[in-house]
Amino acid sequence: MAGILLLLAAPTAYAREDGLVRQDVTFRGGHGLVLHGTVLRKDGASGPEPGIVLVGGSGSGPRVEYQQEAAAFARAGITTLVYDKRTVGYSFLHRDFGLLADDALAGVRLLQSRTGVNPRQVGLWGFSEGGWVAPLAASRSGDVAFVVTIGGSGYDPLRTGAWSLTTHLQHQGVGGPFRRVVAGPAAQFVGSTGLFSEAGYDPLPALEQLHRTPVLALWGEYDTQVPPRESARIFREALARAGNRHAVIGFVADGAHNGHRTSDGFDRIGGPVFHGKKLGELAPRYAQTMTSWVRSVAAGHPPASSAAPAPGQALATTPEPGHVWYAWLAPALLLLGFAAYPVSALLRRGPVLRPVRWLAGFGLLAVVATVDCPLAVYVVGNDAAGPVVWGRPALWLAVQGLAVAVVVSACASAAALWRRRLTSSWAVWLRLAPVGLAAIGFVPWAVWWGVAA
């Protein structure tokens, strides 16, 4: 069923408002999944018109989030399909850009089949995550006449996500040490454990296959979700290597990640509100830039390659550490070592030293908290950082306090063993060896995780 266009039901009645005609449609995307969308065109358009399929960003992506863009394209005489993103086979822990590309190509075929649309002039618009999906879809099919992206990243999702998180943490007043934890060891842990879906997806191969497909790649002047300056350079260089002579690189003045109006990238000005989230209105000239470019391409005059001067970028991205097995094995061994002492105390009789018991307890808490605190930023978002004290999240200060308690407890345990002359007993050594080794290993591990910073 995948890749075969099927209209599943008779379209709903046309609705005319604001000079546009809207028609609800259903079609089959990748793996035969039924997708729901809306086709918009200008009322009274004679055709044949170019067409464009809007590919949304990450998350559930209901079509209403992109109604402003859809209406802008339609008013410019470009028949537009905007559709609800799939929820089957797509989640925080699992997503497949290839499957999303199949959905986008199914949308292209739907527009190609419509009366009044020039089947040779149907392209893709991709926002954010769609900036990975749209070029991938275009690289797989000659049916895609052009590609427009807004807020597409030139890096893989993990490096991009780490940059976005650290940028927002900086905006919240979080200093460099904790930001380096998020972009360094926490990113390595997330990547090595597979908790970040499509973490290592490389956008370059798809871009380098766009030999003849005209591309308009835009970024908001104040993009805080993907690194605009670095991504623009990567897009420009990749498309140049492909021999693409119609790649235009540009920036949206006063534009946020989505090209909507903002004062600093973190707020949105005007526009509708969806589920409590202010979407912002389209930035000045954003829609005009896209629609005039598409009309030029459709008229057979694609603009020659060019690159606008890039705006400043507050932070540079951090190359993510390599994904290695010990990123998750090290904390697992530490937990086993600290847990061994209380478990052994339950299974056999013998002297129980209060300092060692405290060492085991503090050690378990410290290891879990060290990993969970920055990991929560990846799962929940920047709100997980909570209140900021002295340039650090308050929770991270608590983690650092636990690390100090581990070191103090280890010293107290060694002193207690010496005072009670228990160091000559092999039974005691066997019981204490795991927690002792865990305490020793905890110190360099905590330094790597930035707990000492």
Side-chain angles (χ1 to χ4, degrees):
M1 300 291 289
I4 300 176
L5 172 65
L6 288 175
L7 293 178
L8 301 175
T12 61
Y14 284 97
R16 288 177 169 83
E17 53 182 84
D18 300 329
L20 299 179
V21 177
R22 293 172 171 82
Q23 184 182 22
D24 289 337
V25 295
T26 54
F27 60 101
R28 290 194 183 275
H31 293 177
L33 180 70
V34 177
L35 299 172
H36 302 269
T38 302
V39 174
L40 297 85
R41 66 176 177 83
K42 191 174 183 179
D43 194 9
S46 58
E49 296 180 338
I52 193 166
V53 178
L54 306 192
V55 182
S58 62
S60 57
R63 72 190 98 160
V64 68
E65 291 192 23
Y66 309 106
Q67 286 299 321
Q68 292 183 85
E69 286 84 354
F73 280 118
R75 288 193 185 97
I78 304 165
T79 301
T80 305
L81 168 64
V82 56
Y83 60 94
D84 295 330
K85 192 170 185 175
R86 66 167 53 237
T87 55
V88 177
Y90 182 93
S91 66
F92 177 80
L93 294 177
H94 173 75
R95 62 193 64 182
D96 182 341
F97 291 164
L99 190 59
L100 296 177
D102 289 341
D103 293 345
L105 291 175
V108 169
R109 290 189 289 273
L110 182 139
L111 284 188
Q112 288 178 320
S113 69
R114 293 183 66 86
T115 302
V117 175
N118 185 339
R120 295 184 299 276
Q121 291 297 336
V122 178
L124 293 171
W125 172 92
F127 161 59
S128 193
E129 181 182 81
W132 288 311
V133 175
L136 177 61
S139 72
R140 292 180 169 185
S141 173
D143 289 340
V144 180
F146 57 85
V147 172
V148 179
T149 64
I150 173 69
S153 178
Y155 292 117
D156 60 77
L158 182 55
R159 183 167 177 173
T160 302
W163 182 86
S164 175
L165 291 172
T166 55
T167 298
H168 282 74
L169 288 170
Q170 182 189 49
H171 180 69
Q172 292 176 305
V174 176
F178 184 74
R179 298 202 308 267
R180 285 191 289 273
V181 173
V182 171
Q188 185 181 55
F189 181 87
V190 168
S192 298
T193 53
L195 295 176
F196 199 100
S197 183
E198 287 277 18
Y201 173 79
D202 184 359
L204 290 182
L207 291 172
E208 290 171 349
Q209 290 184 51
L210 302 184
H211 312 292
R212 297 181 178 85
T213 307
V215 176
L216 172 64
L218 300 174
W219 289 266
E221 177 185 10
Y222 297 111
D223 197 330
T224 60
Q225 300 295 118
V226 308
R229 188 183 189 94
E230 295 178 44
S231 294
R233 174 184 55 79
I234 293 171
F235 267 60
R236 175 175 53 80
E237 293 175 353
L239 292 168
R241 286 194 298 271
N244 193 315
R245 299 167 60 185
H246 303 288
V248 176
I249 307 296
F251 300 89
V252 180
D254 299 321
H257 176 54
N258 60 354
H260 293 213
R261 287 185 62 201
T262 182
S263 64
D264 59 0
F266 299 96
D267 64 358
R268 298 292 183 271
I269 300 173
V273 176
F274 177 72
H275 284 183
K277 182 175 75 171
K278 196 170 187 179
L279 299 179
E281 62 190 24
L282 301 186
R285 298 188 61 80
Y286 168 47
Q288 181 183 355
T289 298
M290 294 190 296
T291 56
S292 62
W293 183 86
V294 172
R295 298 294 303 184
S296 295
V297 172
H301 307 293
S305 294
S306 64
Q313 185 178 298
L315 295 176
T317 62
T318 301
E320 61 192 70
H323 301 168
V324 292
W325 56 270
Y326 56 77
W328 58 267
L329 183 61
L333 291 176
L334 291 175
L335 289 174
L336 288 174
F338 285 123
Y341 187 76
V343 170
S344 66
L346 293 174
L347 296 179
R348 57 183 297 176
R349 295 182 179 181
V352 178
L353 299 179
R354 186 183 299 272
V356 181
R357 186 166 57 186
W358 282 107
L359 170 60
F362 283 132
L364 289 170
L365 288 174
V367 172
V368 171
T370 297
V371 174
D372 282 357
C373 185
L375 185 62
V377 177
Y378 279 90
V379 177
V380 180
N382 297 285
D383 292 340
V388 178
V389 181
W390 301 325
R392 295 172 173 81
L395 289 175
W396 191 244
L397 285 175
V399 173
Q400 292 179 312
L402 285 171
V404 172
V406 171
V407 175
V408 172
S409 298
C411 294
S413 299
L417 282 170
W418 181 258
R419 285 196 305 270
R420 296 182 61 174
R421 300 294 191 271
L422 296 175
T423 55
S424 61
S425 170
W426 282 104
V428 172
W429 274 114
L430 288 175
R431 288 187 60 196
L432 294 178
V435 69
L437 291 173
I440 294 171
F442 175 81
V443 174
W445 179 79
V447 170
W448 162 240
W449 272 80
V451 176

